[in-house]
Amino acid sequence: MTNLKYFSFFVLVFLILSGCREERKTEPFNYYESELFKDVQLTGIFEDSKTFVDLEPNSSYEAINEAYEKENLNEDFDLMTFVEENFNDKTTASLSFETDTTKNMYEHISSMWAKLKRGPDVKSPYSSRLALPKPYIVPGGRFKEIYYWDSYFTMEGLLVDGEEVLAQNMVDNFAYLIDTLGFIPNGTRNYYLSRSQPPFFSLMVHSLSRKDSTILLRYLPMIQKEYDFWMGGQEESIKTNSSNRHLYKIDKEVYLNRYWDSGNSPRPESYKEDYHLAGDLKTQESKEELYLNLRAGAASGWDFSSRWYTEEDSFESTKTADILAVDLNALLYFMEQQLAKGYRQQGLVDQSNEYKSKASSRKDIMMELFWDEEAGFFQDYNFVKQEKTNQITLAGAFPLFFGMANEQQAAKVKEVLMRDFLKDGGLLTTLKNTGQQWDAPNGWAPLQWITVHGLLNYGYKEEAIEIMKRWLASNERVYSNTGKMMEKYNVEDISLLSGGGEYETQDGFGWTNGVALGFKTLLEEMGEDVIKK
């Protein structure tokens, strides 16, 4: 009997251990946490961390990592040689081009669409790229895939330039991503699947609908599905004054939104930068908190900026996930309005009224939390500290873009913009110079667009014209000197190029091209002269 008990015990132990081994076997292999990946990124054999994540492996990541774990024990092992033998770059050569110096800036932009055009993609089993079914425009430079919020501003240029089919294809690609993934990722790489970006899809649809009023109904299911993604988590019974995923609960059935990412490790495309930034933190918990906030900052599109700092001049104090962002909530307000409009067109009165009410409630709470009467400007709100962030940034122009501000608020915002933000080359991003790329002295095309159209919504035509002319003059000056369209511009000292951030200033460049063409057309419609250098 004793022997039988021992036998039964050993059988039980064997079964448990076998189950553990089986469980370990079925755990998915995470390449971005593998020894090979960490060693390549942290040794810095590539200057830009994004280079390695965009290389395509010749076989599965797991097989290459297993080979690495064996071969790197050899005395004559060379990491770069191993990478070159096991990975290939199928993207860089196709992005190279020479500027035709006989073209003026606007002719150059029109000629660039063909050079920045990609797709439809062929699926590759080992690539980090998410394949898209239709052609699309990439930003340029190191950005060799489509990016979410960039694409709205690029599309506006395509529509001006008569590229309606390509603009439609880009919207169809984003609809495909919503259908297949449930949301639009930051960009079409698998390392972006933990986050989205500012939700401009409903605005893209709105842009297409200027020529076809049936467009909204065609894409309404996808707008609804994206809205559900941003508002997901309500079913988990969030307590008042607490957060979950992208949501912060204000009151019963009243929510505002934050930028968020489901990961809490270094971003694969900026692995060494994140890892080293967190190096002085003492606990793993504090490191993971910083990683989450850096990822949320990337989800905002403003990576990075003093906008997210909670301590003066401290990048490590980035707390994006603690902040209710004025631009994000304005975008969701517009999404709610579009859903109300679409359901009304379908004759679904109850659903239409539901989203009309949601938009109204969001606007009311935004006016209460985001408007700073003393500063005369809209600010983000830190829900952990229960106070405004005291950061004056161009994100404060979004309520004007969507017509949410009253006339008195708009007048005060206009005064701040023209007095504090406007420089020789256009509008500053923030009023602080920290070395981050989404701070002074840099100006960015999408924020010029949002601000100009926001001012025009309230009748500030002269101010809008002045901003457009200064911005285009800056674009034209750099193009004349370099033959390139840049990702961002130094608007404070127009004799210098822009700088700051985790990588060199990129050229190409999708959203700059789109905004330049849009502003040129707008100025011509207003009877203004446009210099064509």
Side-chain angles (χ1 to χ4, degrees):
M1 190 69 178
T2 302
N3 289 340
L4 182 60
K5 283 182 179 179
Y6 277 123
F7 176 76
S8 300
F9 172 76
F10 284 120
V11 168
L12 179 61
V13 170
F14 172 78
L15 290 172
I16 290 172
L17 291 175
S18 298
C20 290
R21 281 197 297 271
E22 185 62 33
E23 185 178 343
R24 282 198 298 271
K25 261 186 204 177
T26 56
E27 279 183 15
F29 173 73
N30 185 351
Y31 169 65
Y32 298 124
E33 291 296 323
S34 69
E35 290 305 309
L36 170 61
F37 182 79
K38 291 178 181 178
D39 287 351
V40 170
Q41 294 293 58
L42 292 178
T43 55
I45 61 174
F46 296 107
E47 183 178 354
D48 185 346
S49 292
K50 192 176 184 300
T51 301
F52 184 53
V53 288
D54 291 351
L55 296 181
E56 188 168 327
N58 297 332
S59 58
S60 73
Y61 290 118
E62 190 167 11
I64 293 176
N65 189 66
E66 287 178 3
Y68 172 72
E69 289 178 347
K70 293 177 182 177
E71 294 182 28
N72 76 345
L73 300 175
N74 299 332
E75 289 185 8
D76 60 349
F77 178 79
D78 181 76
L79 184 57
M80 179 60 87
T81 300
F82 181 86
V83 170
E84 290 173 346
E85 289 175 348
N86 288 277
F87 295 83
N88 65 83
D89 185 353
K90 294 185 176 180
T91 57
T92 302
S94 60
L95 276 174
S96 60
F97 59 88
E98 290 186 10
T99 300
D100 182 351
T101 56
T102 65
K103 289 182 167 68
N104 67 42
M105 186 180 83
Y106 303 101
E107 292 169 339
H108 167 75
I109 291 172
S110 295
S111 72
M112 283 297 296
W113 298 130
K115 296 178 176 65
L116 296 172
K117 185 177 177 181
R118 299 290 178 272
D121 297 326
V122 177
K123 289 185 179 180
S124 173
Y126 305 129
S127 175
S128 63
R129 183 185 299 279
L130 305 177
L132 294 174
K134 294 188 176 183
Y136 54 91
I137 297 293
V138 299
R142 73 199 285 266
F143 304 110
K144 305 164 188 174
E145 51 283 315
I146 201 168
Y147 282 78
Y148 184 5
W149 80 305
D150 295 55
S151 297
Y152 164 69
F153 304 96
T154 301
M155 272 184 55
E156 289 288 3
L158 289 171
L159 292 171
V160 165
D161 233 5
E163 296 280 357
E164 288 90 355
V165 173
L166 186 50
Q168 177 87 56
N169 285 337
M170 291 177 71
V171 175
D172 286 341
N173 279 329
F174 287 125
Y176 165 80
L177 290 171
I178 294 172
D179 273 342
T180 56
L181 300 175
F183 75 109
I184 299 172
N186 183 152
T188 48
R189 294 282 182 179
N190 61 18
Y191 50 78
Y192 289 139
L193 287 173
S194 59
R195 63 176 179 269
S196 186
Q197 265 194 337
F200 273 84
F201 180 73
S202 57
L203 268 167
M204 297 179 196
V205 172
H206 184 259
S207 294
L208 290 182
S209 71
R210 293 196 294 257
K211 287 191 174 181
D212 182 354
S213 60
T214 67
I215 286 288
L216 175 59
L217 294 185
R218 187 189 311 177
Y219 292 104
L220 192 64
M222 279 68 80
I223 295 175
Q224 178 68 69
K225 195 169 184 178
E226 184 182 36
Y227 182 78
D228 294 341
F229 165 78
W230 283 97
M231 300 303 292
Q234 297 178 48
E235 68 281 357
E236 297 171 27
S237 301
I238 310 173
K239 294 180 181 178
T240 299
N241 295 325
S242 61
S243 60
N244 183 32
R245 290 151 67 177
H246 299 97
L247 292 180
Y248 176 75
K249 188 171 184 178
I250 304 289
D251 201 352
K252 184 180 180 181
E253 304 301 322
V254 179
Y255 299 88
L256 287 182
N257 292 74
R258 63 175 178 169
Y259 291 111
W260 183 75
D261 185 303
S262 62
N264 60 0
S265 59
R267 293 167 295 150
E269 75 281 8
S270 299
Y271 193 91
K272 70 174 182 286
E273 291 83 359
D274 290 2
Y275 181 88
H276 291 310
L277 184 65
D280 291 335
L281 299 177
K282 304 302 182 186
T283 66
Q284 185 61 25
E285 182 181 5
S286 61
K287 290 181 180 182
E288 290 179 358
E289 182 183 2
L290 177 58
Y291 294 147
L292 167 62
N293 281 294
L294 293 174
R295 285 169 168 266
S300 77
W302 289 50
D303 44 337
F304 288 99
S305 171
S306 61
R307 179 184 177 189
W308 311 123
Y309 292 4
T310 52
E311 297 174 15
E312 195 71 23
D313 297 323
S314 173
F315 189 14
E316 295 86 347
S317 74
T318 294
K319 297 283 187 181
T320 319
D322 290 355
I323 292 171
L324 302 174
V326 62
D327 50 355
L328 173 59
N329 283 281
L331 285 159
L332 285 160
Y333 166 79
F334 182 75
M335 201 185 300
E336 288 162 344
Q337 284 189 317
Q338 292 301 101
L339 287 167
K341 181 180 178 181
Y343 288 129
R344 185 172 67 251
Q345 289 179 5
Q346 290 181 330
L348 301 173
V349 178
D350 289 344
Q351 287 95 321
S352 178
N353 288 338
E354 176 188 353
Y355 283 96
K356 185 177 179 181
S357 175
K358 287 178 184 293
S360 179
S361 295
R362 185 183 296 273
K363 178 181 175 181
D364 289 344
I365 196 67
M366 285 180 67
M367 294 303 110
E368 179 183 337
L369 293 185
F370 295 148
W371 176 249
D372 186 325
E373 181 65 27
E374 184 178 350
F377 214 74
F378 290 97
Q379 298 183 30
D380 300 319
Y381 186 84
N382 187 314
F383 64 80
V384 174
K385 294 185 174 184
Q386 291 288 299
E387 63 186 20
K388 294 177 181 65
T389 60
N390 198 32
Q391 302 281 6
I392 304 297
T393 80
L394 274 194
F398 272 73
L400 276 66
F401 182 82
F402 291 110
M404 303 174 71
N406 61 39
E407 296 294 335
Q408 293 74 27
Q409 289 170 331
K412 291 183 177 182
V413 169
K414 182 262 296 182
E415 290 299 322
V416 174
L417 290 170
M418 303 307 287
R419 182 189 68 228
D420 299 335
F421 282 88
L422 185 60
K423 303 299 177 184
D424 288 346
L427 295 164
L428 293 168
T429 305
T430 75
L431 303 180
K432 295 182 178 180
N433 193 325
T434 63
Q436 297 296 347
Q437 63 174 351
W438 287 86
D439 276 323
N442 291 340
W444 294 77
L447 301 181
Q448 314 294 315
W449 180 271
I450 293 294
T451 305
V452 162
H453 284 272
L455 290 171
L456 289 173
N457 285 341
Y458 293 85
Y460 296 117
K461 181 178 175 181
E462 289 184 9
E463 290 82 357
I465 288 172
E466 184 63 25
I467 293 168
M468 286 190 282
K469 285 188 171 182
R470 292 193 191 191
W471 177 254
L472 289 178
S474 181
N475 293 177
E476 289 164 352
R477 186 179 300 106
V478 172
Y479 175 74
S480 178
N481 292 333
T482 68
K484 297 177 179 180
M485 300 297 293
M486 298 298 187
E487 177 191 26
K488 55 186 180 283
Y489 292 81
N490 185 328
V491 298
E492 207 162 42
D493 185 342
I494 58 177
S495 68
L496 299 175
L497 294 178
S498 59
E502 298 175 320
Y503 54 85
E504 296 297 320
T505 296
Q506 303 296 297
D507 65 79
F509 196 89
W511 63 15
T512 306
N513 299 349
V515 169
L517 289 178
F519 279 177
K520 170 180 173 289
T521 301
L522 193 54
L523 285 169
E524 289 173 342
E525 290 173 351
M526 293 176 172
E528 296 291 323
D529 292 330
V530 180
I531 300 171
K532 300 178 181 179
K533 291 184 179 179

